[in-house]
């Protein structure tokens, strides 16, 4: 399969993962937090977002470099770890068995979100609003009235970044904070 087609398929997977993540919110509001419906949506989202993160990197790899790769791998790995945590909740695993995993996962996810958001903004190929959501959704979790909607913002970030990758409609803006801006 040609690399462009692979990137497009991974972009579609990112969109599907974002939609699955968005589906967590109505499931939680209707059936309750940690309901089977919410957990299945979250588990599916984790799998898809892990693969989709790599497609988001590949679509802008020429402008994001090693930082983009490292942050995409951090996002992919932390999505896989989140999937493991969701699964452990689904099967009612012993909480002591995964005691340190949430802290490690949160640190890895936050680092991946911040760095990937910054390099995506700098690359100028994908929608800025979707990159900004990488910074917004973790903050929403601290606002009691909005915390139930953090999954929507998380999912929208992947839909917003994955859609142009899937459809092949990346923007061709000049990179933000590049040396060319200083010269002009």
């Amino acid at each position: 399969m040609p690399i462009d087609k692979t990137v497009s398929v991974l972009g579609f997977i990112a969109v599907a993962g974002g939609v699955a993540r968005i589906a967590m919110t109505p499931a939680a509001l209707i059936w309750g937090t940690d309901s089977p419906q919410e957990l299945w949506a979250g588990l599916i989202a984790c799998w898809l977002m892990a693969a989709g993160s790599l497609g988001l990197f590949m679509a802008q790899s020429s402008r994001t470099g090693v930082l983009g790769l490292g942050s995409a791998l951090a996002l992919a790995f932390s999505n896989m770890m989140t999937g493991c945590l969701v699964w452990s909740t689904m099967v009612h695993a012993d909480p002591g068995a995964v005691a340190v995993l949430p802290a490690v996962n949160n640190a890895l996810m936050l680092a991946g979100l911040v760095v990937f958001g910054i390099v995506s903004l700098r690359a100028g190929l994908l929608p800025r609003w979707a990159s900004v959501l990488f910074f917004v959704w973790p903050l929403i979790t601290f606002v009691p009235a909005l915390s139930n909607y953090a999954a929507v913002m998380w999912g929208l970030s992947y839909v917003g970044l994955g859609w142009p990758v899937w459809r092949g409609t990346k923007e061709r803006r000049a990179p933000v904070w590049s040396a060319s801006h200083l010269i002009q």
Side-chain angles (χ1 to χ4, degrees), residues 71-154:
S71 61
L73 289 173
L75 285 175
F77 190 65
S78 64
N79 273 304
M80 287 186 263
M81 286 187 356
T82 302
C84 293
L85 290 168
V86 169
W87 183 256
S88 71
T89 302
M90 292 172 75
V91 297
H92 306 289
D94 175 26
V98 292
V100 73
L101 196 56
V104 172
N105 185 36
N106 289 343
L108 188 62
M109 177 70 77
L110 190 58
L113 288 170
V114 169
V115 174
F116 194 81
I118 290 170
V119 298
S120 291
L121 283 170
R122 289 187 64 192
L125 293 175
L126 300 176
R128 289 184 175 138
W129 66 266
S131 297
V132 169
L133 285 180
F134 270 7
F135 308 114
V136 172
W137 81 258
L139 296 176
I140 287 176
T141 61
F142 295 107
V143 181
L146 299 176
S147 63
N148 289 337
Y149 300 95
V152 172
M153 296 294 119
W154 190 3

Side-chain angles (χ1 to χ4, degrees), residues 1-12 55-56 58-62 162 164-170 172:
M1 180 183 298
I3 192 73
D4 292 341
K5 184 70 172 171
T6 302
V7 171
S8 179
V9 167
L10 289 172
F12 173 77
L56 298 178
M58 291 171 67
Q60 52 185 347
S61 63
S62 64
V165 173
W166 171 38
R167 304 306 299 163
T169 57
K170 295 183 293 186
R172 301 284 183 205

